[in-house]
Amino acid sequence: MKKNILFLIIFLLAGIFTTNAQKTLDKKVDTLLSRMTLDEKIGQMTQVDYDAIKKNVDDIVKYSIGSILCGGNSEPEDITAKGWADLYDKYQNMALRTRLRIPIIWGIDAVHGHNNVDGATIFPHNVGLGATHNPKLIEQVAAVTAAEIKGTGMQWDFAPCVAVARNEKWGRTYESYGENPDLVKMLGAAYVNGMQGKNLAGKTSVLACVKHFVGDGGTTNGKDQGDTEVDEETLRKIHLQGYVEAIKAGAKSIMVSYNSWNGEKLHGHKYLLTDVLKGELDFKGFVVSDWAAIDQLGKDYKSDIEKSINSGLDMIMIPNAPGQDNNYVDFITKLKELVNENKVPLSKIDDAVRRILKVKFELGLFKNPMTDKNLTAQIGSKKHREVARDAVRQSLVLLKNDNKVLPISKNLKRIHVTGKSADDIGNQCGGWTISWQSKSGNVISGGTTILQAIKNTVSKSTEVTTSTDGSGAEGADVCVVVVGETPYAEMLGDREDLSLAKEDVTAIEKARASGVPVVVLLISGRPMLIEPSLNISNAFVAAWLPGTEGQGIADVLFGDFKPVGKLPHSWPKNMQQIPINVGDANYDPLFPYGFGLTY
Ligand code: GLC
């Protein structure tokens, strides 16, 4: 009895404390808001890309800019951790020269680790993390990513993407945890927990940004930025659940999607952005647009601004500099006109700015606006890379293992490693690595390719030979062939045909012709059409886009760890089957959702 009363007292006290803390925060925000001019309020709603403002840095003060981002191709000269941290501190110092000294909040796409920084730890893309089905692991991945982001000063990550990718033709399939909304909502919430930590003001806490609201993974034919033509029940059941869970987990920013729902652009969708997201789901954070996305709404920029702000957007992402169309000065000028013309109510401006300021206070940004240099040194550390290596191990899905050709002995006489992605860190990492589209080859330093990992693992007496085209395996004990996709991002990854490239098929055929056992590793952002290559291989592993820590692949190949990954997507036999998702009628994939062998 006494215990229950004690718990009740603690519970009540906690509740009083929280309410008081909220009241104090609200008071701080309202006091600051009451001191702000309309220009300063609009400045807080303006997010400008670094490339667009770097020649006019004083505009941060002139327009009281509230947020800076670096889009996929926007970066400083020096892309080392120090280079990024110095850039952040320079811009933050500029923001602190504004009349009210409101710090900027700096957003970045750290979508598989802090992928903008040379030498950072690059994790498997979300499709691989989805194959782990492991929320605890995803929380760790997010926490390490957050620590590396804070090492560059920034405090806002445009992640997690909680798209539910229903059509693998979509170029952003790899940014989704998979086709199943239950998997996506579980891992999305875990990522938010890991990224934001227990307290948003924590030393290594970063504001998560759940994206892209809503239905980005459900467009017809998988067309990026296309139209998601589904009824409301399906939209809610499949595509909304990631947001419901992420908001419960405390997410405080959400990015709106380019796609339309039944022909209406999300960036102008008042029902979904205001009635559903801020009303029904009671989302208390702020809503940011995607990159120049409001420009797609209508006939002219001023009406785009009016429609998007009145629909529920709080902050607008603007990549254009003065002199270009729809630039950040245009935005500020036109939004002020709209308020003065009573076309955008001042109450909407105040609500947006209140939401933004509240998050800035919760982040501790007013108290600690500058980079914590102790964190800078930890970027790409061995400790961080071990977490990524473990994520790689758990992401691998074993699709075939005839006659137990896997695991491979470490003491063989000779192993032959071939295929275009055997020794290619760029292919291993995939898109969003250093640059938006990234590229094959040595795109980032500090990683371990699959070939290097195999060499690190085998005994001193084992000879490792290599080629890229499948030739040269004759006489070896086993041949590992690494094939798949080369880097791409967003709409540049949309495909009508997911067949393996000719060079990959040829490499596997040549390996087969050598007469030695063939182990194929597929490096790809999604399931691909793999028959008949699968039929002529002895073993076949879906390795997704593993990132820098190729050692995790060797750990499984040589049996130090058993494969535990399970497919986050149904694996199609042919293009005619796509879209194919678990739960479909006449469901007949090559491998079903959740499939995965082990040793
Ligand atoms: C891109 C993407 C979005 C990203 C944003 C900023 O176009 O749609 O995921 O966060 O722009 O780079």
Side-chain angles (χ1 to χ4, degrees):
M1 187 58 177
K2 275 187 190 149
K3 220 166 135 189
N4 293 346
I5 293 169
L6 182 61
F7 274 129
L8 183 63
I9 292 167
I10 290 168
F11 180 76
L12 287 173
L13 285 174
I16 294 166
F17 176 74
T18 312
T19 316
N20 284 347
Q22 277 306 325
K23 280 184 182 153
T24 310
L25 176 59
D26 289 344
K27 188 146 178 36
K28 263 198 270 186
V29 168
D30 287 339
T31 306
L32 179 52
L33 186 68
S34 67
R35 295 170 55 204
M36 293 172 76
T37 64
L38 177 57
D39 289 334
E40 288 166 334
K41 291 176 182 176
I42 290 174
Q44 284 302 306
M45 298 169 69
T46 308
Q47 179 182 59
V48 185
D49 183 61
Y50 161 71
D51 262 354
I53 202 165
K54 65 186 179 185
K55 295 194 180 79
N56 307 291
V57 191
D58 295 339
D59 279 359
I60 290 179
V61 181
K62 185 175 174 187
Y63 297 106
S64 310
I65 300 295
S67 179
I68 297 284
L69 84 143
C70 270
N73 282 337
S74 183
E75 63 189 27
E77 287 294 306
D78 175 358
I79 59 168
T80 63
K82 181 183 180 313
W84 278 100
D86 291 348
L87 173 71
Y88 169 85
D89 285 344
K90 176 185 170 195
Y91 278 58
Q92 193 61 280
N93 277 319
M94 188 65 80
L96 297 176
R97 285 169 39 194
T98 51
R99 183 177 73 91
L100 294 169
R101 297 174 49 77
I102 300 174
I104 51 170
I105 182 169
W106 190 303
I108 193 101
D109 293 283
V111 294
H112 59 144
H114 198 351
N115 41 261
N116 310 277
V117 180
D118 189 35
T121 308
I122 304 300
F123 292 89
H125 266 296
N126 286 353
V127 65
L129 297 181
T132 73
H133 293 255
N134 182 346
K136 277 275 151 265
L137 173 68
I138 277 49
E139 221 175 290
Q140 273 188 295
V141 168
V144 169
T145 303
E148 299 206 355
I149 293 168
K150 285 301 269 291
T152 59
M154 304 158 194
Q155 60 291 108
W156 186 18
D157 187 9
F158 298 139
C161 175
V162 294
V164 182
R166 304 289 284 178
N167 187 316
E168 290 80 15
K169 294 179 186 174
W170 186 36
R172 305 194 76 166
T173 296
Y174 68 76
E175 296 188 60
S176 160
Y177 294 113
E179 69 186 37
N180 180 336
D182 293 337
L183 176 66
V184 170
K185 74 181 185 184
M186 174 177 76
L187 299 187
Y191 193 92
V192 170
N193 284 323
M195 176 73 33
Q196 298 192 158
K198 296 267 173 293
N199 173 352
L200 252 188
K203 218 158 54 73
T204 57
S205 295
V206 165
L207 175 67
C209 183
V210 196
K211 71 184 186 182
H212 310 81
F213 187 88
V214 64
D216 49 349
T219 59
T220 302
N221 211 29
K223 183 177 174 349
D224 188 43
Q225 305 189 11
D227 192 5
T228 297
E229 299 171 279
V230 295
D231 62 25
E232 182 160 354
E233 185 197 355
T234 305
L235 188 77
R236 287 173 174 270
K237 186 161 61 75
I238 301 288
H239 301 287
L240 190 68
Q241 295 312 310
Y243 297 91
V244 174
E245 288 307 307
I247 291 168
K248 278 186 200 155
K252 286 291 174 59
S253 80
I254 284 178
M255 185 184 294
V256 181
S257 183
Y258 285 109
N259 67 271
S260 303
W261 177 41
N262 296 332
E264 195 174 349
K265 279 277 178 189
L266 258 291
H267 276 80
H269 212 293
K270 187 171 169 55
Y271 169 66
L272 289 174
L273 297 181
T274 297
D275 304 348
V276 173
L277 181 56
K278 293 180 172 178
E280 182 190 327
L281 298 185
D282 194 23
F283 177 60
K284 294 263 186 278
F286 66 89
V287 178
V288 65
S289 81
D290 204 333
W291 180 272
I294 69 166
D295 307 20
Q296 297 178 2
L297 284 184
K299 49 193 188 313
D300 64 83
Y301 197 42
K302 187 167 179 178
S303 61
D304 295 342
I305 296 166
E306 179 181 356
K307 184 159 179 61
S308 56
I309 299 294
N310 285 337
S311 294
L313 273 142
D314 301 310
M315 184 185 283
I316 303 297
M317 187 185 292
I318 305 162
N320 301 326
Q324 294 175 301
D325 290 345
N326 304 350
N327 64 60
Y328 60 87
V329 177
D330 289 338
F331 171 75
I332 291 164
T333 312
K334 290 176 177 357
L335 180 50
K336 186 171 180 179
E337 286 167 10
L338 288 162
V339 174
N340 293 334
E341 294 158 8
N342 292 318
K343 290 181 179 164
V344 170
L346 183 58
S347 60
K348 179 64 191 64
I349 301 291
D350 285 347
D351 178 60
V353 178
R354 193 174 283 117
R355 288 168 180 265
I356 292 165
L357 292 178
K358 197 164 177 181
V359 170
K360 289 188 175 183
F361 276 113
E362 287 173 330
L363 277 165
L365 206 39
F366 289 85
K367 284 205 187 85
N368 304 302
M370 312 315 287
T371 303
D372 176 348
K373 299 290 190 208
N374 298 322
L375 296 175
T376 314
Q378 289 179 36
I379 293 176
S381 68
K382 181 140 182 47
K383 187 165 68 102
H384 288 177
R385 291 181 189 278
E386 279 305 307
V387 175
R389 178 176 173 176
D390 189 30
V392 173
R393 291 176 195 135
Q394 296 190 45
S395 68
L396 304 181
V397 181
L398 181 58
L399 297 176
K400 180 180 183 182
N401 190 23
D402 282 0
N403 309 320
K404 295 191 172 37
V405 69
L406 289 177
I408 301 170
S409 159
K410 294 178 185 177
N411 304 303
L412 295 176
K413 192 163 173 307
R414 180 178 150 225
I415 296 177
H416 188 68
V417 184
T418 187
K420 72 184 180 206
S421 298
D423 195 28
D424 190 313
I425 206 79
N427 288 358
Q428 238 171 263
C429 291
W432 292 103
T433 307
I434 300 298
S435 70
W436 182 45
Q437 295 295 320
S438 190
K439 61 182 181 190
S440 300
N442 287 327
V443 71
I444 188 168
S445 44
T448 306
T449 66
I450 294 163
L451 174 65
Q452 288 161 344
I454 291 172
K455 288 180 175 175
N456 295 342
T457 309
V458 297
S459 71
K460 292 208 176 356
S461 59
T462 302
E463 184 192 11
V464 178
T465 53
T466 181
S467 64
T468 53
D469 62 357
S471 63
E474 291 75 8
D477 297 291
V478 69
C479 177
V480 177
V481 193
V482 192
V483 296
E485 293 190 299
T486 51
Y488 56 82
E490 300 192 48
M491 69 293 288
L492 300 186
D494 283 3
R495 294 282 182 275
E496 279 307 311
D497 181 1
L498 292 174
S499 304
L500 288 178
K502 192 84 197 74
E503 65 178 316
D504 292 340
V505 174
T506 306
I508 295 165
E509 286 168 347
K510 278 186 182 171
R512 172 73 291 147
S514 72
V516 308
V518 172
V519 175
V520 174
L521 299 181
L522 180 64
I523 300 292
S524 67
R526 51 195 153 186
M528 297 182 77
L529 305 188
I530 54 177
E531 291 177 303
S533 300
L534 175 74
N535 301 336
I536 62 171
S537 310
N538 299 82
F540 204 102
V541 179
W544 315 111
L545 298 173
T548 49
E549 303 316 303
Q551 198 63 49
I553 291 179
D555 292 340
V556 171
L557 283 184
F558 292 94
D560 290 334
F561 285 82
K562 291 182 179 176
V564 295
K566 303 290 179 201
L567 288 181
H569 283 280
S570 310
W571 201 290
K573 287 174 176 161
N574 53 55
M575 292 310 290
Q576 290 65 45
Q577 283 194 328
I578 296 178
I580 179 170
N581 296 294
V582 62
D584 286 352
N586 313 318
Y587 181 68
D588 176 32
L590 182 61
F591 296 104
Y593 173 85
F595 180 87
L597 303 174
T598 188
Y599 299 152

